[in-house]
Amino acid sequence: MNTLLSKVSVAEDRGRPVLDAATREVVGHAPVHTVDQLNTAIAAAAAAQPNWAALGHAERSRLLHAIADDIDAHAVELGEIITHEQGKAGGEGEAHGAAHWLRAAADTVLEPQVLHDDGTSRAELHYVPLGVVASIGPWNFPVMIAVWHVAPALRMGNTVVLKPSENTPLSVLALAEIFRRHLPEGVLTAVSGDREVGAALAAHPGVAKIVFTGSTATGRRIVESSASNLARLTLELGGNDAGIVLPGTDVDAIADKLFWAAFMNTGQVCAALKRLYVHESIYPDVVEALAERAEKAPMGPGRDKANRLGPVQNPAQFEIVSRLVEDARERGARIVTGGAAAAELGPLFYRPTIIADVDDGAAVVDEEQFGPVLPVIRYTDVDDAVRRANNTEQGLGASVWSADPDEAAAVAQRLEAGTVWINQHGGVDPAIPFGGTKASGYGLEFGVEGLKAMAATKVIRR
Ligand code: NAD
C-alpha cells in the first residue's frame, strides 16, 4: 500500500486516469483542477507570501532541510509513483536526488553586495522576493525538475503555484503533499490540470515569475503571454545536443560514457547527447562500440531495478521516435541495431537504436528525438563538424570527446551552447549554473545564479 499515492489519487469519478508507462494500467486518478481553483491557489499564495518572506533565510532553510529529510524518508513510496507514471528504473534515485538539490538550495549563500562605499556615500544591492512564482514542468524528471523550480523560489521568500505535466501529475502531487506537511498554508500549492490550466497560470496577473521546463513551442507561448503580466521568465526548453569525437580519441575509454550520455532515462533528457559527430578515422569503431552497448543494455519495466532502460513515457513521444527512425530508414541510413518497437515488453518500449550513415537534413539529426535513438554522423574536417553542430536553432548543451583536453577545450569554445562538456555529457550539479542559449531558452538555474533568478534586485543608497 503506497500511502502517498492513496493520499493524492482521487476517486475515479473525480479525476483523470494516470497510466503506468510500462504496463498502461491505471496507477491512480489525478484531479483536474479548474481555472477557478487556480485563481484560489494564486490568491492563497499571494496572501501567504509576506509572512513567508518575513521568516528570513535561516528559518526558510531550516524548513527546506526538514522537507528534504522527509523526502528521503519517503523515497521508496515517492520513487514507486515516479517509476509507475514516468517509467524509469531510477524512481527512488530521482526522489533522493530531489532531496539533495533541496538541501543545496537551502545552503547556498547569497549575501547583499556593497557596490560602493567611499565613507560619504554607499550603495548596496539586495535580493528581495518577487512574490508568487509559477512553476510549469515536464514529464521526464517530474519530481527532480519540480524541486529545481520550487527550492530556489521558496528559499528566496517567494510562494509557489506548481503545475505538473498532465502525463506525470501524481508524483508531483505526492511531492507537494510532503512539502505541505512542513509549510504554512498557501506557501506551495500544486494545481493539477492540462494545458489550459498551464496557459491560465502563465498569463495570470498575480504571477510575478514563471519558471518553465518543457518544449520550445510551449516556451514561445509563455513568452507571448508574459507580454500581459510582465512576468519574469526562466525558460529551460528543448535541446538537440551535438557531441563531437575528435580524431585520435580512445574509443574504448569513452564508449560507456558516450552511450549513457545518449540513453540515460531512455534518452528522455533535455541535455542528452542527441547527435554524435565522429571523425572518419574512428567512425566504424565508435558505431560498433555503441551498438554493442545498445544490444546489452537491460530494458524493461522500471519496477525491476535490474533494468536500465524503460519505456518511452507516452504515446505521442513514441510516435515521434518511430517517425524519426522510419524517415532515416527511408533515406537510406543504416539502422545498426534497434529500429523497432520492443512490443514484447509493453506497448511503449522502443529498442535502443543506433543509426549510422546518416547526415544532417535527416529529421532524426535535425529534430530532437527525446527517446532511445542516437544518430552517428561521419565527418572529415573538425571545422565542418563544428559548423554542423552549431547549425541548429537550439543551444542547450554540447560535448567534445578527445584524448587531448586542450584541443577539446579549444573546440568547446566554438560550440554554441549553455554548457559544453569535455569527455562527458549531460551531468548537472546543484552548485553549477545550467541554462540554454538560442531557442533552448534563457535564464539560469542552480547555485547562486539560480537564487538570483528567483529574486528582484533592490539598490539602497545613502
Ligand atoms: P511541453 O512543452 O509539452 O509541456 C510542458 C508543460 O507545459 C506541461 O506541464 C504542459 O501542461 C504545460 N503547457 C502546455 N501548453 C502550455 C501553455 N500554452 N502555457 C503554459 N503551459 C503549457 O513539454 P513536455 O513534452 O512535457 O517535455 C518535453 C520537452 O521538454 C522536450 O523538448 C525537452 O527537451 C524539454 N525539457 C527541457 C529541459 C531543460 O532543462 N531544458 C528539461 C526537461 C525537458
Side-chain angles (χ1 to χ4, degrees):
M1 174 70 178
N2 188 316
T3 51
L4 264 182
L5 180 61
S6 50
K7 188 94 191 163
V8 298
S9 180
V10 297
E12 201 175 328
D13 58 349
R14 289 185 45 230
R16 177 187 292 159
V18 177
L19 303 185
D20 182 301
T23 62
R24 310 302 287 156
E25 285 162 6
V26 175
V27 179
H29 290 79
V32 185
H33 291 124
T34 61
V35 171
D36 275 353
Q37 286 169 308
L38 171 71
N39 291 336
T40 305
I42 292 174
Q49 196 272 326
N51 284 342
W52 177 245
L55 279 185
H57 282 291
E59 179 58 9
R60 288 195 298 271
S61 290
R62 190 190 66 75
L63 288 166
L64 295 184
H65 270 279
I67 296 167
D69 292 346
D70 213 2
I71 292 173
D72 276 337
H74 290 87
V76 172
E77 281 182 289
L78 187 55
E80 206 173 86
I81 308 173
I82 297 171
T83 292
H84 275 307
E85 61 179 7
Q86 204 288 324
K88 72 185 60 177
E92 198 180 322
E94 182 172 335
H96 286 303
H100 175 63
W101 288 79
L102 192 50
R103 289 189 187 99
D107 294 344
T108 303
V109 177
L110 175 58
E111 300 284 2
Q113 287 167 252
V114 178
L115 302 173
H116 166 81
D117 189 357
D118 62 6
T120 53
S121 64
R122 182 177 163 97
E124 296 168 358
L125 182 67
H126 294 258
Y127 296 94
V128 299
L130 289 157
V132 177
V133 171
S135 150
I136 304 176
W139 47 259
N140 57 338
F141 287 90
V143 164
M144 182 77 119
I145 290 176
V147 165
W148 289 357
H149 293 181
V150 166
L154 292 182
R155 165 65 205 287
M156 294 308 290
N158 308 286
T159 51
V160 178
V161 176
L162 167 68
K163 197 209 85 69
S165 164
E166 52 274 40
N167 291 318
T168 50
L170 294 172
S171 57
V172 179
L173 291 168
L175 175 77
E177 165 61 20
I178 296 175
F179 271 76
R180 195 193 57 75
R181 294 174 188 166
H182 299 267
L183 295 175
E185 180 85 27
V187 170
L188 175 77
T189 310
V191 175
S192 159
D194 42 29
R195 281 155 190 273
E196 287 66 47
V197 172
L201 176 57
H204 201 286
V207 165
K209 161 102 194 185
I210 298 156
V211 49
F212 171 75
T213 301
S215 64
T216 297
T218 306
R220 289 188 207 282
R221 275 183 223 118
I222 290 174
V223 172
E224 280 167 21
S225 72
S226 74
S228 61
N229 58 6
L230 286 178
R232 293 160 191 231
L233 305 178
T234 295
L235 300 174
E236 299 288 0
L237 309 179
N240 193 7
D241 291 13
I244 300 179
V245 186
L246 299 180
T249 307
D250 177 350
V251 176
D252 285 341
I254 63 165
D256 281 334
K257 283 205 258 177
L258 263 185
F259 178 77
W260 288 110
F263 288 87
M264 185 201 157
N265 206 36
T266 320
Q268 301 163 115
V269 179
C270 53
L273 175 61
K274 291 178 180 149
R275 306 173 278 152
L276 184 62
Y277 292 87
V278 180
H279 190 260
E280 59 184 357
S281 57
I282 47 174
Y283 185 82
D285 301 339
V286 171
V287 169
E288 192 188 320
L290 289 170
E292 223 173 74
R293 282 156 181 81
E295 279 157 18
K296 283 197 200 131
M299 175 176 255
R303 63 179 177 277
D304 177 350
K305 287 187 179 160
N307 289 322
R308 299 277 311 271
L309 299 175
V312 175
Q313 197 275 334
N314 61 75
Q317 193 62 44
F318 187 88
E319 283 309 310
I320 293 173
V321 169
S322 311
R323 170 176 66 77
L324 295 180
V325 175
E326 281 324 302
D327 174 78
R329 198 194 307 271
E330 279 163 23
R331 284 166 169 269
R334 181 160 57 97
I335 311 297
V336 186
T337 188
E344 72 283 7
L345 296 173
L348 296 182
F349 285 88
Y350 198 91
R351 292 192 196 293
T353 300
I354 302 294
I355 304 180
D357 303 336
V358 61
D359 224 328
D360 304 64
V364 74
V365 178
D366 293 356
E367 295 173 31
E368 179 186 36
Q369 66 276 49
F370 217 65
V373 175
L374 181 65
V376 189
I377 306 134
R378 185 188 281 105
Y379 77 85
T380 307
D381 174 57
V382 176
D383 291 343
D384 186 47
V386 169
R387 186 189 58 73
R388 289 152 84 185
N390 288 337
N391 186 23
T392 169
E393 69 157 1
Q394 292 179 315
L396 188 57
S399 57
V400 188
W401 304 74
S402 170
D404 178 344
D406 293 336
E407 193 187 3
V411 175
Q413 290 288 355
R414 298 164 62 198
L415 291 171
E416 296 165 1
T419 304
V420 185
W421 289 272
I422 293 174
N423 292 333
Q424 52 171 306
H425 193 124
V428 288
D429 182 296
I432 299 173
F434 177 75
T437 59
K438 305 201 290 191
S440 292
Y442 48 78
L444 290 169
E445 295 190 272
F446 313 158
V448 177
E449 299 305 323
L451 293 187
K452 287 181 183 172
M454 290 295 176
T457 51
K458 181 193 278 188
V459 173
I460 298 182
R461 301 186 63 164
R462 59 185 152 95

